[in-house]
Amino acid sequence: MPLPTPFFPRTSALCHSMKWKEWAGYYAVCSYETLHDTEYYAFRNSAGLLDVSPLYKYRVTGPDAAAFLSRIMVRNIEKLAIGRVSYCCWCDDHGKVVDDGTVMRRGEQEFFVTSADPCYSWFSRFLRGYKVELSDISDQVAGLALQGPTSRDILKQVCDADLDGLKYFATCKARVNGFEVYISRTGYTGDLGYELWVDHEHALKLWDAIMAAGKNYDIRPAGLDALDVTRVEAGLILKDVDYFNALHALIDDRKSSPYEISLGWTVDLDRAPFNGQAALQAEKEEGSKWAIVGLDIDWPQLEELYYKRGLPPVLSNHAWRSSIPIYTAKDKRIQAGYATSGTWSPILKKNIALATVQKKYDKIGTELQFEVTVEHVRHTVSAIVSKTQFYNPERKTFTPKSSKS
Amino acid sequence: MSKTYDIIVIGGGHNGLTAAILLARKNKKVLVLEKRPVLGGIAAGEEFHPGYFTIGLLHDTGTVRQQVIKELNLAKFGLKTKARPAIGLLSKRGDCLPLSADVDAAASAISKFSSKDAAGYKEYAAFVSAIKPFMANLLNELPPDLSALGTKQLWALVKKGLALRWLGKKTMMEFLKVAPMSIADFLNEKFETDFIKAGIGAPALYGSFNGPWSSYTTINLLMGESMAHEQIAGGPQALVAALEQAAENEGVEIRTNAPVEKILLDTGRKVSGVKLKTGEELKASIVASSCTPHVTFYDLLQPNQISYALEHAVKHYRSRGTTAKVNLALNKEVLFNNVGGLEFYRTGNSFDEMERAFDPAKYKQFSSEPLLDIHVPTVANPNLAPAGHSVLSILVHFAPYNLKEEWNEESKKKLYSIVMKTLENYSPGIGSSVVGSEVLSPADLELRYSLTQGHIYHGEHAVDQLITRPFPLCAQYATPISGLYLCGSGSHPGGSITGMPGYLGHKPSLKIVESSGK
């Protein structure tokens, strides 16, 4: 049975829809109201507060902490400056992705790592020879994501951190009413936003402080349904949806390299050996088989298909995450790949998807065919390959004042 | 400027030297690096007390493979073989049965105790001799590659299958039946006298974490018996002396007192040489390591230089040392159960007592009455001790590496007194003739010979750690690290003094140097 997170006394009181799901062994709200629209618009227009406590969290400390993480991660963590956050993934021996997450450098010898899957077992396999201490602090630290255009203003009321100077993918320690939180300017919405990490004992105090301060900024508690729409708009991939953990894949074909899931930019090959280095080097030279792309699905064609059957176009309210075949424009018998998740983007007014396609079809502007089923009959509509990052507001990365560090 | 070689061999033991000679013979520039001041490793003779010498940590040279001696032309370098001398099997009742290498002589000696056992021994010896062609196929050739099952690999397996089938239906079925058995079950079928059974079976337990009732010990026994051949006159150190001369003759450069700190890899993750503890760097694109797998992969490489698969394989490769060594300097010639003049003796007495000797090892304690594998080198070479004096070189089973009370002078003293008490059973009053002694715990063996956990065979002889030894990832002597090869007892066909890991192990590295066009 799932467990309540430290925020459960608040989230359960607010969750009028009774829509819950299990996330990493915890109860997580899908949407507080029957429909997630208002929560989505909070993320995009004001601020949404999301309980992300179920994320797995690890602390790595010690003189070799940076070297240890560099051996595991595809990025060179030794180069990560104190107070900076790195989004990265980690691979098995064959260069296939095990999981992705963030690594935050809190000190010369102190790191905080988040992941989607439990990774203690994987990380601990590489402890030999490194002077580090690895601890799983998943059930000691609670997490809140405060995301949206007004999130900075809300947070300023709550804590003493220099938020105007805190850059995108930076992290700092702050005080809130006598207790400590770690703030990182990160998130899964592709908008201005922060994630806050706090010890369990102070979790409710933090929630209350933020909700109180957010009152004048139209803050809303938000659930995973709203998050799912924003993350597709932002082109952020999701494990077990857009790719699979290589350690859990039943067949080799389900495994992906970072290059194949749009994380090639995180791979730093030219350095001390790390997991999967040789395989990744070879793949970089020989080329990858697959690529994750964005798809902009043609609306008039879809409307036409429904119109022919005397129906208005029907789209799900929710972001979807099922495998949909993608065909080449020339020949609908040739499968170019498959879409793994998608949504109607309310802010872009577009029907968008994330898809895994064969490398030769990954050029932006390439026309492909997206399968749709209208009244039990399968059709295809045109879909244009685009950047995965459909929505990317300036405020996401804008820093009001550049910090003098 | 650092020196450049074609191949650097780490470890100047008998396997390292064997590989070096064979590689140098193909006009390769070969360097052997030995950490100790003397060559030979576990085959090196030692002065353990002023004026008293052993001829090696291990003392049985009957396992040295004939093709190694022949191919290295060791006779030319002074190597002489001799018939395997009789082994005195000792009973606590006061018996000493000289088990001769000659089957008829052995059977006739056994018949003095039991005519049934004499017949059983002939049957046993006939079986051992019948399976020799298959065992030779298994032990004398490159191990099958199980990493992929292509036509080539399948054919190698088919050939092994055929070698088994060609033993004849009866022998094959018998072999398949007995191989997984415990030596106790197997030998109980053939013999009735306890100390004879125990004495014949004892070698199956050397270097394995097993008692006589453990399954699969029979295969160890049969492997040992199949290898048994003539001994080398002068013992292990004579083999090392011949190897050293052969190496010199082939132009192998040998450096002693040259402990290696790290194997160096270039940016392409290929071997580029080694770094000595002195800081000196030596270049070579091929490194053949005769060290244990643990030393090779864990100590000589950085943790991030090996894959997780390899990390895992090394971690779970079992090498729980259970053997200690006691060397005794005696002021007279020694008798066991009133018999003198034999080079080898074995205690054991019965399977129950052997099992009880093994049991404490599981609980991190040493036996209160250990199984002793005794060698008296002064019988063949009186010069190893002052005139009229003698030396006992005793391998003590079982004394675990991970001793609960830890290995120190005190626990070694305890072990020593237990060994002496055990010896008193067979040689009353022996304690009074001791003029000097040395006790080497598994921890000492690790320190002196770089034997991981003090394991005399570089890893246990267990079914899963034979043939695809040390583990499937490195079973062909090649390792996942480009340019790094294994050629020590941690590889096929395993430990004890055989020369085979070095002999077979030189082949894959040679292929690489030759194909690289040097």
Side-chain angles (χ1 to χ4, degrees), chain A residues 177-225:
Chain A
N177 295 338
F179 60 90
E180 247 173 29
V181 296
Y182 274 96
I183 299 175
S184 56
R185 195 172 156 192
T186 50
Y188 203 50
T189 59
D191 215 306
L192 171 66
Y194 302 85
E195 285 170 314
L196 300 108
W197 313 98
V198 66
D199 287 343
H200 274 194
E201 53 173 320
H202 305 303
L204 290 178
K205 284 183 268 174
L206 180 63
W207 175 282
D208 293 342
I210 292 172
M211 286 301 279
K215 221 170 186 177
N216 297 331
Y217 296 87
D218 201 15
I219 194 173
R220 280 166 195 271
L224 294 175
D225 287 353

Side-chain angles (χ1 to χ4, degrees), chain A residues 9 53 114 141 161 173 224 232 254 272 280 305 376:
Chain A
S53 304
T114 64
V141 174
K173 195 152 68 171
L224 294 175
V232 175
R254 282 197 190 162
L280 292 172
L305 287 174
H376 322 296

Side-chain angles (χ1 to χ4, degrees), chain B residues 406-467:
Chain B
E406 292 187 356
W407 285 110
N408 50 38
E409 285 314 309
E410 203 184 319
S411 52
K412 276 159 66 172
K413 251 186 215 156
K414 267 192 217 167
L415 180 71
Y416 174 76
S417 63
I418 278 171
V419 169
M420 291 313 293
K421 207 177 127 206
T422 307
L423 284 173
E424 289 282 340
N425 289 330
Y426 308 99
S427 187
I430 190 172
S432 61
S433 49
V434 175
V435 294
S437 67
E438 178 187 43
V439 180
L440 296 170
S441 71
D444 295 329
L445 300 184
E446 180 174 60
L447 204 64
R448 184 186 285 185
Y449 301 104
S450 298
L451 294 172
T452 302
Q453 295 187 42
H455 201 283
I456 51 170
Y457 293 163
H458 290 204
E460 291 164 36
H461 283 181
V463 175
D464 61 309
Q465 298 194 155
L466 292 168
I467 314 299

Side-chain angles (χ1 to χ4, degrees), chain A residues 71 93 125 128 130 273 277-278, chain B residues 269 303-304 306 308-309 311:
Chain A
R71 184 244 203 280
D93 283 348
R125 292 173 190 191
R128 182 184 64 83
Y130 292 98
Q277 187 183 35
Chain B
R269 297 172 291 271
N304 61 352
I306 64 173
Y308 175 64
E311 172 92 30

Side-chain angles (χ1 to χ4, degrees), chain B residues 4-75:
Chain B
T4 304
Y5 298 87
D6 291 327
I7 296 151
I8 292 174
V9 177
I10 305 177
H14 75 287
N15 279 314
L17 290 171
T18 300
I21 294 162
L22 291 165
L23 291 166
R25 191 178 278 176
K26 304 285 179 179
N27 292 320
K28 301 299 166 207
K29 203 172 158 200
V30 181
L31 171 70
V32 174
L33 295 169
E34 167 58 44
K35 76 162 189 174
R36 300 190 66 207
V38 291
L39 286 176
I42 55 161
E46 314 276 347
E47 184 177 27
F48 65 95
H49 185 74
Y52 297 82
F53 300 84
T54 67
I55 54 170
L57 173 69
L58 299 187
H59 37 232
D60 185 6
T61 50
T63 42
V64 178
R65 306 308 288 148
Q66 292 307 297
Q67 73 226 73
V68 175
I69 296 174
K70 232 179 263 165
E71 194 146 334
L72 297 182
N73 234 337
L74 293 181

